């Protein structure tokens, strides 16, 4: 079984996907004229502008819901595995895919907004919806929905649960089975409450957990500030094969940096558009810009915090797959949260293990919540025509079961299953957004033109020649027309 899983992961994560992700990010960065830089000044106002409604959540809630999916075990355990298998240079490639991926994140989030629908009293959207409406390829949309239900409902939750269980065991000596059972109880209490409850929890937890974690990282870096120039030099020299020790693993640095970068920030993967579509905004570009910023928060802030703590304290091993071990500072410790715990412990004895375990609990638990929301959204898409209430309960039981299963299984198997889920979604979504580049760029151009005219941008798909944006045509535009006539 494990051999087959490894083989399948190797096929999905071939160099083709690695360079496709980098290439698409580069393409959208140029096509949008690096909106991730040009619109930085707009992010804070957009984040807090607009409120929630009965059907939708606020822009800030949508951001935190997307961040709860992005900021997870990839930010702690994922960075550690990237360094362990790709060397310090992998950190640079995580930064690169984050910067370039912000362009892809804008496109997929904007498309999620354009083609969203109001279903069962709440906004629904995501790749399955924009594939069907934008590309007129129902079979492709159903394929994406099925893959996403399997990936986010079955394959990915186990990675998050495994890292929580491992870190709790390392810090407190609590059995993974007990941790797994506790996670199942907590998760059940939330997912049976619906998307609004998930959004409320994410809105409260995500900002505090990220800021607290970054603060501890800043303290550790400050206490070792003399080492920082050397760490930065090591990251950049290793990223391009110029370091003597890591010169022979350039390919591994790129592969693991991009793979773990995408796993963490999810740019182009097709997960974030689900949360983006749920936001109550007047123009799709608004939420697209906010979601582009979430990639920065995830990788440039939180992942960097982990990387600097690990590298500046020297608490890591480097053992590329199929090659001799290059660095062994931690003995036989398995790559994962233990690297970060060791890093914090080396500076703050007695604090590091518990702190990272608690941080990882909040990071990973909110990610599992976000995964459930994505799986539920795609299940709702599949069940649009025929109501199959029993499938909702099957999904809930499946994700709860996989959370427990992931808690007690080996980290290697959990991560490989997660990689299969991420890679499968990425292949399907990236092809879809490339085919939908034209409407996405029209949305950005329209938004910028209205800003230039001093307006608060409002989306009108008919004016732009974008078809099948049903919500905007039928439910959003009509009330606006009435207001204009009576005003």
């Amino acid at each position: 079984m494990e051999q087959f899983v490894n083989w399948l992961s190797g096929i999905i994560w071939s160099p083709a996907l690695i360079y496709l992700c980098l290439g698409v990010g580069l393409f959208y960065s140029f096509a949008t004229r690096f909106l991730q830089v040009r619109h930085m000044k707009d992010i804070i106002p957009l984040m807090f502008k607009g409120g929630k409604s009965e059907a939708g959540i606020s822009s800030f809630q949508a951001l935190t819901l997307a961040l709860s999916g992005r900021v997870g075990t990839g930010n702690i355990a994922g960075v550690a595995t990237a360094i362990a298998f790709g060397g310090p240079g992998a950190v640079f490639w995580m930064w690169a895919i984050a910067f370039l991926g912000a362009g892809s994140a804008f496109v997929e989030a904007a498309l999620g907004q354009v083609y969203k629908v109001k279903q069962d009293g709440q906004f629904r959207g995501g790749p399955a919806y924009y594939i069907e409406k934008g590309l007129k390829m129902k079979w492709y949309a159903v394929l994406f929905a099925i893959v996403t239900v399997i990936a986010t409902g079955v394959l990915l939750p186990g990675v998050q649960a495994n890292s929580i269980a491992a870190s709790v065991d390392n810090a407190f000596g609590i059995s993974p089975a007990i941790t797994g059972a506790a996670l199942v109880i907590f998760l059940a209490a939330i997912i049976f409450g619906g998307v609004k409850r998930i959004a409320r929890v994410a809105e409260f937890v995500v900002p505090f957990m990220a800021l607290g974690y970054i603060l501890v990282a800043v303290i550790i870096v400050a206490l070792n500030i003399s080492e920082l120039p050397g760490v930065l030099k090591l990251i950049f020299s290793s990223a391009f094969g110029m370091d003597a020790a890591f010169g022979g693993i350039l390919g591994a640095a790129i592969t693991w940096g991009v793979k773990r970068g995408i796993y963490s920030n999810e740019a182009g993967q097709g997960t974030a558009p689900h949360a983006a579509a749920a936001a109550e905004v007047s123009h799709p570009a608004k939420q697209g810009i906010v979601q582009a910023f979430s990639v920065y928060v995830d990788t440039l802030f939180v992942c960097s915090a982990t990387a600097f703590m690990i590298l500046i304290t020297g608490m890591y091993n480097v053992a590329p797959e199929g090659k001799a071990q290059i660095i062994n500072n931690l003995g036989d410790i398995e790559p994962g949260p233990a690297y970060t715990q060791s890093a914090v412990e080396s500076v703050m004895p007695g604090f590091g293990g518990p702190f990272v375990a608690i941080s990882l609990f909040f990071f990973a638990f909110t990610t599992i919540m976000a995964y459930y929301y994505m799986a539920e959204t795609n299940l709702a898409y599949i069940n649009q025509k025929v109501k199959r209430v029993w499938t909702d309960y099957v999904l809930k039981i499946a994700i709860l079961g996989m959370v427990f299963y992931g808690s007690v299984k080996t980290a290697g198997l959990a991560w490989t299953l997660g990689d299969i889920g991420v890679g499968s979604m990425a292949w399907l979504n990236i092809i879809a957004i490339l085919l939908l580049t034209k409407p996405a760029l029209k949305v950005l151009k329209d938004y910028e033109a209205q800003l230039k005219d001093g307006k608060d941008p409002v989306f009108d798909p008919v004016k732009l020649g974008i078809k099948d944006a049903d919500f905007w045509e039928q439910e959003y535009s009509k009330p606006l027309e009435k207001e204009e006539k009576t005003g």
Side-chain angles (χ1 to χ4, degrees):
M1 170 66 179
E2 201 157 341
Q3 282 185 328
F4 171 76
V5 168
N6 289 332
W7 171 81
L8 184 59
S9 178
I11 295 294
I12 292 171
W13 278 102
S14 66
L17 181 56
I18 300 295
Y19 294 112
L20 177 65
C21 292
L22 285 168
V24 169
L26 188 63
F27 167 69
Y28 281 126
S29 294
F30 278 104
T32 62
R33 295 177 295 125
F34 289 89
L35 74 85
Q36 60 265 59
V37 176
R38 293 188 300 109
H39 285 288
M40 279 293 287
K41 65 183 186 300
D42 302 328
I43 286 165
I44 301 299
L46 288 175
M47 204 184 300
F48 296 103
K49 197 171 185 180
K52 54 193 175 185
S53 67
E54 287 188 13
I57 57 180
S58 71
S59 187
F60 182 70
Q61 284 181 320
L63 170 68
T64 55
L65 184 56
L67 274 173
S68 67
R70 288 191 162 116
V71 179
T73 190
N75 299 83
I76 297 179
V79 173
T81 56
I83 292 171
F85 297 125
V91 176
F92 170 84
W93 292 104
M94 291 185 82
W95 291 339
I97 196 63
F99 178 72
L100 297 176
S104 306
F106 167 84
V107 169
E108 61 181 2
L111 288 170
Q113 268 286 330
V114 169
Y115 295 105
K116 70 183 179 183
V117 301
K118 190 185 282 187
Q119 186 178 336
D120 299 326
Q122 62 184 13
F123 290 142
R124 296 281 191 183
Y129 293 84
Y130 57 67
I131 289 169
E132 179 185 347
K133 291 174 173 293
L135 295 179
K136 305 293 187 293
M137 299 170 72
K138 178 75 173 178
W139 67 269
Y140 193 0
V142 171
L143 174 63
F144 181 89
I146 292 170
V147 167
T148 303
V149 170
I150 294 170
T152 57
V154 179
L155 300 178
L156 286 162
V159 182
Q160 310 294 328
N162 183 273
S163 293
I164 293 173
S167 64
V168 168
D169 187 20
N170 191 44
F172 305 110
I174 296 173
S175 164
I178 294 173
T179 302
L183 287 174
V184 167
I185 293 169
F186 290 144
L187 184 61
I190 292 171
I191 65 175
F192 279 92
V195 63
K196 294 290 181 78
R197 183 178 294 178
I198 294 171
R200 282 196 298 271
V201 173
E203 180 182 34
F204 177 77
V205 171
V206 172
F208 287 105
M209 73 181 187
L211 288 172
Y213 187 75
I214 291 169
L215 178 62
V216 169
V218 168
I219 292 170
I220 289 174
V221 171
L223 292 173
N224 294 273
I225 197 67
S226 61
E227 303 292 329
L228 185 58
V231 166
L232 289 170
K233 182 182 177 183
L234 181 63
I235 289 172
F236 283 96
S237 61
S238 303
F240 297 98
M242 295 183 291
D243 184 86
F246 304 108
I249 61 167
L250 174 59
I254 297 172
T255 297
W256 282 97
V258 173
K259 183 190 285 191
R260 287 291 165 257
I262 292 172
Y263 188 95
S264 179
N265 66 53
E266 300 184 354
Q269 182 187 323
T271 49
H274 298 96
E280 183 77 62
V281 292
S282 67
H283 198 289
K286 291 182 176 182
Q287 198 59 29
I289 291 168
V290 169
Q291 295 299 342
F293 174 67
S294 71
V295 175
Y296 286 168
V297 173
D298 173 88
T299 306
L300 300 185
F301 297 160
V302 186
C303 283
S304 294
T306 300
F308 283 127
M309 284 194 289
I310 290 173
L311 295 175
I312 212 163
T313 58
M315 294 292 111
Y316 63 97
N317 298 335
V318 177
E321 293 175 304
K323 294 181 182 289
Q325 192 170 54
I326 299 173
I327 290 180
N328 187 348
N329 294 336
L330 291 176
D332 295 329
I333 292 180
E334 189 172 16
Y339 281 29
T340 314
Q341 288 176 309
S342 299
V344 183
E345 278 286 335
S346 69
V347 178
M348 303 175 178
F351 175 77
F355 170 73
V356 174
I358 293 167
S359 298
L360 189 54
F361 170 79
F362 285 115
F363 279 27
F365 188 75
T366 51
T367 298
I368 296 171
M369 291 188 331
Y371 285 157
Y372 170 75
Y373 172 66
M374 295 164 202
E376 184 195 52
T377 296
N378 282 276
L379 193 61
Y381 171 81
I382 294 168
N383 290 335
Q384 280 182 101
K385 304 296 183 187
V386 182
K387 299 295 179 186
R388 304 178 184 92
V389 178
W390 61 269
T391 58
D392 292 333
Y393 292 102
V394 169
L395 174 61
K396 288 179 171 71
I397 291 168
I399 197 167
L400 293 172
M402 288 308 296
V403 163
F404 184 80
Y405 179 77
S407 299
V408 298
K409 294 307 291 182
T410 62
L413 178 60
W415 274 100
T416 306
L417 288 171
D419 283 340
I420 291 171
V422 170
S424 301
M425 290 177 66
W427 270 113
L428 294 170
N429 184 61
I430 288 173
I431 291 169
I433 63 174
L434 281 172
L435 295 172
L436 287 167
T437 296
K438 190 174 179 181
L441 295 183
K442 278 185 179 180
V443 166
L444 178 61
K445 187 177 179 182
D446 176 64
Y447 173 77
E448 292 179 336
Q450 291 190 55
L451 275 185
K452 192 175 179 182
D453 291 339
K455 300 176 182 177
D456 179 14
V458 174
F459 185 56
D460 182 354
V462 177
K463 179 183 170 186
L464 298 179
I466 296 175
K467 298 179 180 179
D468 294 310
D470 298 339
F471 166 76
W472 297 96
E473 287 180 32
Q474 297 167 15
E475 296 195 47
Y476 194 83
S477 298
K478 297 294 186 246
L480 284 177
E481 287 171 11
K482 287 179 184 175
E483 284 177 24
E484 287 172 5
K485 287 176 182 176
T486 58

